[in-house]
Amino acid sequence: MATNISRRYVIIGNGIAGTTCAQMLRKNDVACEIDLITNEPYPLYNRVSLPRFLQGVLTEEKVMIRNRAWHEQQRINLLTETLVARIDAEDHVVHTDKGQALRYDALLVATGGWANPLRVPGAAGTKHIYNFVTLDDTKEIIARANESKSAVAVGGSFIAYEMAEGLNVRGLHVTWLIRGPRWLRYNLDEEGGSLVDGIARKHNVDIIYGEEIREVIPANGVPASVVTTGGRQIAADMIGVGLGLTLNTQVLAGTGVETRSGIITDEYLATNIPDIFSAGDVAEFYDPILGRHHTMGTWDNAAAHGRVVAQNMAGGHEPYVDVPTYTSPLFNTTIAFIGSPEANNPDLTSIARTTTDDKGNPAYRKFFFKDDQIVGAIFIGGTKGRKTTGKLIKANTRYVAPAEKEALFTVE
Ligand SMILES: Cc1cc2nc3c(=O)[nH]c(=O)nc-3n(C[C@H](O)[C@H](O)[C@H](O)COP(=O)(O)OP(=O)(O)OC[C@H]3O[C@@H](n4cnc5c(N)ncnc54)[C@H](O)[C@@H]3O)c2cc1C
């Protein structure tokens, strides 16, 4: 009898991790039942394309990856605008805010993270202060940018940079506040930071380091200016906030699933509670290359997690062993992260060098080692050599002599 009962899968989060998992589950099992749940109103869209949508380079249509017809054809039950409120791990049931109780044989939590808001005096109740994570965020930013002249972007990581550039491309005067001494201070050293600084200034973005927003000064419910922790007053019709994500682990409250900043999994993306798995940005997964748990907020990592976790939810035993890469445009150049380039990790050593690429633009490379084994790299400018570097990391290649390490600067 039991063999005639199809397996039931529930997936929370229809980002690239969740949707890829659903697709793979269907590919491997024509009979299974799949519920794919999201609180957002859209089928899968490309978050990586949102900066280009903000700049006006891409249309909304081009940002969409899947439509409802695809889900119907794949027999994936897509539940949009539906928030998972609670999971009953003992009875294997997911409860939504719409009163549904969805039974599962295996559950995937691929819930990503929600952006941290700006919490300073004057921010609460003031309109036009934006995070930049969702398609709806982007539409709202574009609408306001079209009626604005000036903006302040705050944050030392990718999201703040993407907003600074997007609003700059839309013709606003942008001031970018970075709390630390440079952009991406946990990855870049002084040399890499000053290279990025030069690129941003060339594009007429004003950057102020070592300062944050102390207060928003509103007028009639919209921003008029911001006051920085250094006491400057800067005019701003809108404010872009890139202050990091809080990973969405709270949905697991009461289940006994172990969480830290993310959801703890082993290298099979399984949590400590039977039949509950995690993938994508929210997973704090065991990485056999580094020999420890970590999170990885990149598109390729989330997609690869989705493929592997689908096998394991269906009873497989496939470890996730991959070298994640993150490549992003950076004004008129490119930045690429390969593996785990963590400048603040005391267990890693590094070497860095700035040269020029074949177009004469500055090119920066930095390689990270753990006990002489290459574990990560950053390339700014020419990204040639990225793939080879990824292969060297995956192969656990060791470089003992300094000259061997130096030779990496010429890898193609
Ligand atoms: C503006 C921007 C630019 C980026 N650029 C790049 C880039 O250039 N390169 C790169 O590699 N990466 C980039 N990223 C990161 C990349 O987009 C993410 O790593 C990836 O999308 C994560 O996918 P995910 O499936 O893990 O989670 P997400 O895409 O975050 O999906 C999770 C979904 O789950 C939903 N959810 C959460 N909790 C619940 C709940 N309780 N009930 C129902 N639904 C819930 C969320 O609303 C969301 O829709 C960028 C991200 C942003 C925001």
Side-chain angles (χ1 to χ4, degrees):
M1 277 289 277
T3 50
N4 291 331
I5 299 171
S6 56
R7 260 176 89 74
R8 274 199 59 84
Y9 297 105
V10 175
I11 300 171
I12 312 173
N14 76 329
I16 184 65
T19 304
T20 303
C21 174
Q23 185 176 2
M24 295 306 292
L25 287 169
R26 169 59 65 232
K27 192 171 163 209
N28 296 333
D29 180 353
V30 289
C32 68
E33 291 174 51
I34 307 168
D35 291 323
L36 179 59
I37 310 168
T38 177
N39 62 304
E40 290 195 59
Y42 308 103
L44 176 67
Y45 59 87
N46 194 341
R47 280 190 211 284
V48 174
S49 295
L50 294 180
R52 278 175 297 154
F53 178 44
L54 172 58
Q55 289 172 24
V57 176
L58 286 182
T59 60
E60 181 178 344
E61 210 182 13
K62 293 275 182 211
V63 174
M64 299 310 299
I65 297 179
R66 298 288 179 220
N67 56 26
R68 288 178 190 275
W70 178 85
H71 292 80
E72 280 161 26
Q73 186 241 326
Q74 293 282 320
R75 287 179 296 111
I76 295 167
N77 181 27
L78 177 67
L79 302 163
T80 52
E81 295 178 86
T82 303
L83 188 76
V84 170
R86 187 170 65 81
I87 297 164
D88 180 340
E90 211 158 291
D91 289 344
H92 284 50
V93 178
V94 166
H95 296 273
T96 74
D97 63 347
K98 294 195 169 148
Q100 293 129 314
L102 305 167
R103 196 187 58 75
Y104 64 83
D105 294 307
L107 169 68
L108 177 66
V109 183
T111 43
W114 281 325
N116 295 326
L118 181 66
R119 285 200 181 92
V120 297
T126 302
K127 291 201 291 189
H128 309 313
I129 300 177
Y130 300 99
N131 290 120
F132 182 34
V133 174
T134 66
L135 181 54
D136 281 344
D137 291 340
T138 319
K139 289 181 186 176
E140 287 172 24
I141 295 171
I142 292 170
R144 179 60 178 168
N146 287 340
E147 55 187 31
S148 297
K149 290 194 167 59
S150 60
V152 165
V154 59
S157 188
F158 270 100
I159 299 298
Y161 147 70
E162 301 282 13
M163 279 191 279
E165 181 180 26
L167 295 171
N168 172 262
V169 169
R170 282 192 176 264
L172 277 70
H173 179 263
V174 180
T175 307
W176 182 8
L177 299 178
I178 296 180
R179 185 177 56 176
R182 60 186 161 273
W183 184 61
L184 293 183
R185 67 169 151 164
Y186 298 120
N187 299 108
L188 294 181
D189 53 19
E190 223 171 282
E191 195 178 341
S194 77
L195 198 142
V196 174
D197 180 83
I199 296 169
R201 287 187 198 280
K202 224 164 118 186
H203 286 77
N204 296 320
V205 171
D206 284 343
I207 309 188
I208 298 169
Y209 297 98
E211 295 189 30
E212 299 172 75
I213 297 177
R214 190 175 68 202
E215 188 179 354
V216 175
I217 311 287
N220 303 320
V222 305
S225 62
V226 303
V227 179
T228 71
T229 45
R232 298 169 212 248
Q233 188 155 358
I234 303 167
D237 299 322
M238 59 191 297
I239 300 168
V241 181
L243 296 176
L245 293 179
T246 300
L247 298 176
N248 289 326
T249 60
Q250 69 282 4
V251 74
L252 288 163
T255 58
V257 170
E258 196 189 342
T259 61
R260 282 196 283 262
S261 66
I263 299 168
I264 306 297
T265 76
D266 58 18
E267 66 262 55
Y268 306 98
L269 302 172
T271 70
N272 58 315
I273 297 296
D275 306 318
I276 302 185
F277 295 78
S278 183
D281 281 12
V282 76
E284 194 168 334
F285 59 100
Y286 181 76
D287 182 340
I289 295 179
L290 279 183
R292 63 176 172 80
H293 286 84
H294 67 136
T295 54
M296 179 65 60
T298 74
W299 183 265
D300 288 355
N301 179 72
H305 270 188
R307 284 190 290 274
V308 168
V309 82
Q311 306 294 339
N312 297 336
M313 288 169 74
H317 203 55
E318 189 184 322
Y320 176 74
V321 186
D322 205 359
V323 176
T325 57
Y326 185 106
T327 305
S328 166
L330 184 69
F331 293 99
N332 63 341
T333 183
T334 306
I335 185 162
F337 293 82
I338 308 140
S340 297
E342 299 163 330
N344 62 337
N345 183 340
D347 294 339
L348 305 188
T349 56
S350 61
I351 53 170
R353 184 182 290 173
T354 304
T355 54
T356 45
D357 67 14
D358 41 16
K359 289 185 199 135
N361 295 319
Y364 167 87
R365 282 186 180 194
K366 183 167 186 174
F367 296 97
F368 295 79
F369 306 87
K370 186 180 181 214
D371 302 329
D372 292 328
Q373 178 183 316
I374 183 168
V375 292
I378 299 173
F379 288 22
I380 302 175
T383 50
K384 239 191 212 171
R386 211 175 33 148
K387 281 207 172 117
T388 313
T389 304
K391 284 182 191 157
L392 294 169
I393 295 171
K394 197 163 187 175
N396 300 330
T397 315
R398 293 180 76 81
Y399 297 86
V400 181
E404 288 176 336
K405 288 189 175 122
E406 285 285 313
L408 284 166
F409 290 118
T410 55
V411 155
E412 296 213 336

